[in-house]
Amino acid sequence: MMHTGSIEAPTPRRPRRRLSPLLRLWRSLTSMKTALMLLFLLAAAAIPGALLPQRPLNEQKTTQYIADRGALGTWMDRLQLFDVFASSWFTAIYVLLFVSLVGCLTPRILEHLRAVRARPVPAPRNLTRLPRHFEDTVEGTPEEVAALINANLRGWRRATTTRPATTHRPTAAVEISAEKGYLREWGNLVFHFALIALLISIAADKLYGYEGTRSLVADGTQGLCNTSTAVYDSFRAGSLVDGTDLSPFCVRVEGFDARFLPSGQPDMYEADVTYTGDVRQSDPDTWSTARVRVNEPLRVAGDRVYVLGNGFAPTFTVTFPNGEQRTQTVLFIPDNLQTMLSSGAARFDTPAGLYPDADERRNRQIAIEGLFAPTAAFQGTLLTSSFPVPNDPYVAIRIYQGDTGLDTGRPQNAYSLNRALIEQGRLQQRAQVNLSPGQTHTIADGTVVRFDGYERFVSMQVSHGPAQNWVLLSATVMLAGLLVSLLVRRRRIWVRLVPVGVDGQRRTAVTIAGLARTDQAGWGEDFDQQARRWLTQPGPTKRRPRRTSAMRSHIRTDLIS
């Protein structure tokens, strides 16, 4: 007869849950692979900022670069290649990298916390299949040997278990599972979270920080008070800085010293300054003094004041036909840092009342343009400089007369004359001369131009970085976490202890197997030696004997003899 029993229907498979597009996008964004790609993309995106002129650093140079390249420069400007670090695409990469790192590391730290709290992994059934294993028979019961091994495994996370007899193992066994190297993953996590902190700190520094530069004549007559952006020659502010809440302080340059090597290469720049953190304190005699050197800034009111560069500021005096004088000390910009050959320009307006007619007064203005050489060297009448120290200062100047553009109200380059005025004939050259300090030259209408000498000027930079300490701390923690993740080794060992009877003695068969969690943490060829040390009774710690007075006197006697 055929048995007709009930046949159970197969359990239907649960259909796979399809992930929504947003969830798939989130998982892709928060993967470590995406984080690494974004990190390399961020580094690649910073390359144009290093190769191309940037508008926040040098507006004039950037404008000239765009004009020289025509349509290509215009399209590059539209792509924000001249303000890379404030561009929308660089910010997008920055934010995506931040989100990716946070989304990637949060599950990892939760998983690592669970792994730390969990018991070590039980021993596999066959330890001899592992690439590193050791077998031996020692005296003692499994419990005694387990106590000895546990004593030698200080610093390891351990778990000791007694396994009952099974069909595969007719006798009970004691098993030890031990792990070490969890600090490696902690170091890895600390490194990545410190990277996130570094990104946040740099972003905060860019948003709330600012930098301003100002060139000051180093004779104690010029200074700056950090109360407004108008006091700077150039000012670069963070996105959230409007210039109304600058750190209040004042600084004045009293003197400057520059040392050079025999080759003309700069050796050290030092500026003597006076400063105060109270801008209402008008008496300079009560200000503090300091010396600012290269890479040793003055720190005041939370800001840093650096010495960026230096140069010479020649002094010219123009005596007009009626005897009135105008004196200016103007900055000449170094064209050759090896010899400090510098170029610049000065403009002098005519005295009021000298020429009643406004047009005639405008056409009688004086302009000077030329070179300054600290140590003059002549090739015929051509002036050049042979050394950056002012051993024999000279100027080679062209004297112009006419409309200098001072009455137009339009901004002009402080270091050169308007070439359009010269080409149009509105500013005409009257003389070209070489002058040493104290020498003069008189043009046709009786106007006298005198070269009085020179002063030093110093280019100072004020930097405000509210998160600079956090940047340093984050970078230090990153380095510490990286070192820990590279130096700490992740390892596991398992020990199985099985009692054996040999001639009525209590003996134990020991099987020890090891497994490295990473390729760099391999056991090498000394695994057997380590396993034997774990089975060796630890000896007492040897102490260095104390020296008695008799021993010390004996040592001194030996030294004398």
Short mmCIF file of all heavy atoms in Angstrom, two decimals, residues 455-480:
data_model
loop_
_atom_site.label_atom_id
_atom_site.label_comp_id
_atom_site.label_asym_id
_atom_site.label_seq_id
_atom_site.Cartn_x
_atom_site.Cartn_y
_atom_site.Cartn_z
N GLU A 455 64.75 105.95 3.47
CA GLU A 455 64.34 105.27 4.70
C GLU A 455 64.05 103.82 4.35
O GLU A 455 63.82 103.48 3.18
CB GLU A 455 63.09 105.91 5.31
CG GLU A 455 63.26 107.34 5.77
CD GLU A 455 64.08 107.45 7.04
OE1 GLU A 455 64.34 106.42 7.68
OE2 GLU A 455 64.47 108.59 7.39
N ARG A 456 64.07 102.97 5.35
CA ARG A 456 63.65 101.58 5.16
C ARG A 456 62.13 101.49 5.32
O ARG A 456 61.53 102.22 6.11
CB ARG A 456 64.29 100.68 6.22
CG ARG A 456 65.74 100.36 5.96
CD ARG A 456 65.86 99.24 4.96
NE ARG A 456 67.19 98.66 4.96
CZ ARG A 456 67.54 97.61 4.23
NH1 ARG A 456 66.65 97.04 3.45
NH2 ARG A 456 68.76 97.14 4.26
N PHE A 457 61.51 100.60 4.56
CA PHE A 457 60.11 100.29 4.83
C PHE A 457 59.97 98.78 5.03
O PHE A 457 60.78 97.98 4.56
CB PHE A 457 59.19 100.79 3.70
CG PHE A 457 59.14 99.90 2.47
CD1 PHE A 457 58.30 98.79 2.41
CD2 PHE A 457 59.93 100.19 1.37
CE1 PHE A 457 58.26 97.99 1.28
CE2 PHE A 457 59.88 99.40 0.24
CZ PHE A 457 59.05 98.29 0.19
N VAL A 458 58.94 98.43 5.77
CA VAL A 458 58.69 97.04 6.14
C VAL A 458 57.27 96.68 5.72
O VAL A 458 56.34 97.46 5.96
CB VAL A 458 58.86 96.81 7.65
CG1 VAL A 458 58.66 95.34 7.99
CG2 VAL A 458 60.23 97.28 8.11
N SER A 459 57.12 95.53 5.10
CA SER A 459 55.80 95.01 4.76
C SER A 459 55.33 94.12 5.90
O SER A 459 55.95 93.07 6.17
CB SER A 459 55.84 94.24 3.45
OG SER A 459 54.56 93.73 3.13
N MET A 460 54.28 94.52 6.59
CA MET A 460 53.74 93.79 7.74
C MET A 460 52.44 93.09 7.34
O MET A 460 51.66 93.63 6.55
CB MET A 460 53.48 94.73 8.91
CG MET A 460 54.63 95.67 9.25
SD MET A 460 56.04 94.81 9.97
CE MET A 460 55.40 94.39 11.58
N GLN A 461 52.24 91.92 7.88
CA GLN A 461 51.00 91.19 7.66
C GLN A 461 50.35 90.87 8.99
O GLN A 461 50.99 90.34 9.89
CB GLN A 461 51.24 89.89 6.89
CG GLN A 461 49.98 89.02 6.74
CD GLN A 461 50.23 87.76 5.97
OE1 GLN A 461 50.44 87.80 4.77
NE2 GLN A 461 50.21 86.62 6.66
N VAL A 462 49.08 91.20 9.11
CA VAL A 462 48.28 90.89 10.29
C VAL A 462 47.39 89.70 9.94
O VAL A 462 46.61 89.76 8.97
CB VAL A 462 47.44 92.09 10.73
CG1 VAL A 462 46.54 91.71 11.90
CG2 VAL A 462 48.35 93.25 11.12
N SER A 463 47.51 88.62 10.71
CA SER A 463 46.73 87.40 10.44
C SER A 463 45.88 87.08 11.66
O SER A 463 46.39 87.09 12.80
CB SER A 463 47.65 86.23 10.14
OG SER A 463 48.40 86.46 8.96
N HIS A 464 44.62 86.82 11.41
CA HIS A 464 43.69 86.42 12.47
C HIS A 464 43.15 85.04 12.13
O HIS A 464 42.47 84.87 11.12
CB HIS A 464 42.54 87.43 12.59
CG HIS A 464 41.51 87.04 13.61
ND1 HIS A 464 41.73 87.14 14.96
CD2 HIS A 464 40.25 86.55 13.47
CE1 HIS A 464 40.66 86.74 15.62
NE2 HIS A 464 39.75 86.37 14.74
N GLY A 465 43.50 84.07 12.94
CA GLY A 465 43.03 82.69 12.74
C GLY A 465 42.45 82.15 14.03
O GLY A 465 43.17 81.62 14.87
N PRO A 466 41.13 82.29 14.24
CA PRO A 466 40.54 81.88 15.53
C PRO A 466 40.63 80.40 15.81
O PRO A 466 40.54 79.98 16.96
CB PRO A 466 39.08 82.34 15.40
CG PRO A 466 38.83 82.42 13.93
CD PRO A 466 40.13 82.81 13.31
N ALA A 467 40.82 79.58 14.77
CA ALA A 467 40.85 78.13 14.98
C ALA A 467 42.25 77.55 14.78
O ALA A 467 42.38 76.34 14.60
CB ALA A 467 39.86 77.44 14.04
N GLN A 468 43.28 78.37 14.83
CA GLN A 468 44.63 77.87 14.55
C GLN A 468 45.08 76.84 15.60
O GLN A 468 45.75 75.86 15.27
CB GLN A 468 45.62 79.03 14.51
CG GLN A 468 45.67 79.86 15.79
CD GLN A 468 46.74 80.92 15.75
OE1 GLN A 468 47.81 80.68 15.22
NE2 GLN A 468 46.46 82.07 16.32
N ASN A 469 44.70 77.05 16.87
CA ASN A 469 45.08 76.07 17.89
C ASN A 469 44.38 74.73 17.67
O ASN A 469 44.96 73.67 17.91
CB ASN A 469 44.76 76.61 19.28
CG ASN A 469 45.62 77.80 19.65
OD1 ASN A 469 46.74 77.93 19.17
ND2 ASN A 469 45.10 78.70 20.48
N TRP A 470 43.12 74.79 17.21
CA TRP A 470 42.40 73.55 16.92
C TRP A 470 43.00 72.84 15.70
O TRP A 470 43.01 71.60 15.65
CB TRP A 470 40.92 73.85 16.69
CG TRP A 470 40.23 74.28 17.93
CD1 TRP A 470 39.83 75.55 18.27
CD2 TRP A 470 39.86 73.45 19.04
NE1 TRP A 470 39.24 75.56 19.50
CE2 TRP A 470 39.23 74.28 20.00
CE3 TRP A 470 39.99 72.09 19.31
CZ2 TRP A 470 38.75 73.79 21.21
CZ3 TRP A 470 39.51 71.60 20.51
CH2 TRP A 470 38.89 72.44 21.45
N VAL A 471 43.48 73.61 14.74
CA VAL A 471 44.15 73.00 13.58
C VAL A 471 45.40 72.25 14.04
O VAL A 471 45.65 71.11 13.62
CB VAL A 471 44.50 74.07 12.54
CG1 VAL A 471 45.37 73.48 11.44
CG2 VAL A 471 43.23 74.67 11.93
N LEU A 472 46.18 72.89 14.90
CA LEU A 472 47.39 72.24 15.41
C LEU A 472 47.05 71.00 16.22
O LEU A 472 47.67 69.94 16.06
CB LEU A 472 48.19 73.24 16.25
CG LEU A 472 49.45 72.68 16.95
CD1 LEU A 472 50.45 72.18 15.92
CD2 LEU A 472 50.07 73.76 17.83
N LEU A 473 46.05 71.11 17.10
CA LEU A 473 45.67 69.97 17.92
C LEU A 473 45.15 68.82 17.06
O LEU A 473 45.52 67.65 17.28
CB LEU A 473 44.60 70.40 18.93
CG LEU A 473 44.06 69.30 19.86
CD1 LEU A 473 45.19 68.73 20.72
CD2 LEU A 473 42.94 69.84 20.74
N SER A 474 44.33 69.13 16.07
CA SER A 474 43.79 68.08 15.19
C SER A 474 44.90 67.39 14.42
O SER A 474 44.91 66.16 14.28
CB SER A 474 42.76 68.67 14.22
OG SER A 474 41.71 69.29 14.93
N ALA A 475 45.86 68.17 13.91
CA ALA A 475 46.97 67.58 13.16
C ALA A 475 47.83 66.70 14.06
O ALA A 475 48.29 65.63 13.64
CB ALA A 475 47.82 68.69 12.53
N THR A 476 48.04 67.12 15.31
CA THR A 476 48.83 66.32 16.24
C THR A 476 48.12 65.01 16.56
O THR A 476 48.75 63.93 16.59
CB THR A 476 49.09 67.11 17.53
OG1 THR A 476 49.72 68.35 17.21
CG2 THR A 476 49.98 66.33 18.48
N VAL A 477 46.82 65.08 16.82
CA VAL A 477 46.05 63.86 17.11
C VAL A 477 46.02 62.95 15.90
O VAL A 477 46.09 61.71 16.02
CB VAL A 477 44.63 64.23 17.58
CG1 VAL A 477 43.77 62.99 17.74
CG2 VAL A 477 44.69 65.00 18.90
N MET A 478 45.92 63.53 14.71
CA MET A 478 45.97 62.72 13.48
C MET A 478 47.27 61.93 13.40
O MET A 478 47.26 60.73 13.11
CB MET A 478 45.84 63.61 12.25
CG MET A 478 44.45 63.95 11.82
SD MET A 478 44.45 64.96 10.33
CE MET A 478 45.29 63.87 9.19
N LEU A 479 48.37 62.60 13.67
CA LEU A 479 49.68 61.94 13.60
C LEU A 479 49.78 60.84 14.65
O LEU A 479 50.27 59.73 14.36
CB LEU A 479 50.79 62.97 13.81
CG LEU A 479 52.23 62.44 13.76
CD1 LEU A 479 52.52 61.80 12.41
CD2 LEU A 479 53.22 63.56 14.04
N ALA A 480 49.28 61.11 15.87
CA ALA A 480 49.33 60.09 16.92
C ALA A 480 48.47 58.88 16.54
O ALA A 480 48.89 57.73 16.71
CB ALA A 480 48.86 60.69 18.25
#
